[in-house]
Amino acid sequence: MTRRAARQRHGCPCGLQQPYDDCCGRFHRGESAAPTAEALMRSRYTAFVKLERDYLLRTWHPRTRPGSLDLDPGMRWTGLEILDTSDGSAFHGSGTVTFRASFKGGSLHERSRFERVDGAWVYVDGEFLG
């Protein structure tokens, strides 16, 4: 089995069953924008998995975006669980997504805030939860 076929069989790292190229990959390549705050959250998680630094910076709100971003290639992300969403659809200007992102050795539990800037969803900031 080719590597691409194996990736397609397992679905996207964001947890959806679509192949990466058809799911978050199209956002990473700039072919389309995430239509909801949850879709952006999923694509950003996948960007951490795939070390897509430019995408992460591009989808960060201008007022909170860091000047640079160092990603650890040794970090092994193992799964994403969306726990709750509030607003964040095509009809909203802001929204929140509460999630748990697992990695080898632990997990990150966060409530992230998103806003639309020039019509596109961007990550504003997050609150770490216990």
Side-chain angles (χ1 to χ4, degrees), residues 4 8 20 24-29 35 41-42 45 48 52 63 66 73-74 84 86 89-90 101 103-105 111 125:
R4 179 178 165 87
Q8 287 182 349
Y20 165 76
C24 294
R26 64 194 166 112
F27 303 139
H28 294 173
R29 292 186 304 272
M41 174 64 241
R42 288 179 179 280
Y45 167 82
F48 277 101
E52 291 282 348
R63 77 171 182 264
D84 188 42
S86 175
S89 77
F103 55 88
K104 187 174 180 182
R111 180 179 303 112
D125 58 22

Side-chain angles (χ1 to χ4, degrees), residues 29 114-115 117:
R29 292 186 304 272
F114 298 88
E115 291 178 7
V117 172

Side-chain angles (χ1 to χ4, degrees), residues 42-103:
R42 288 179 179 280
S43 70
R44 286 179 55 84
Y45 167 82
T46 300
F48 277 101
V49 172
K50 301 276 190 181
L51 303 175
E52 291 282 348
R53 177 177 318 141
D54 291 343
Y55 180 78
L56 290 165
L57 290 171
R58 188 170 69 243
T59 58
W60 213 307
H61 197 291
R63 77 171 182 264
T64 58
R65 180 187 306 133
S68 65
L69 183 62
D70 293 325
L71 300 178
D72 179 0
M75 182 70 136
R76 295 293 171 243
W77 295 100
T78 58
L80 176 66
E81 181 183 4
I82 302 296
L83 303 172
D84 188 42
T85 62
S86 175
D87 298 333
S89 77
F91 303 105
H92 299 109
S94 64
T96 62
V97 178
T98 304
F99 68 92
R100 181 172 290 110
S102 301
F103 55 88

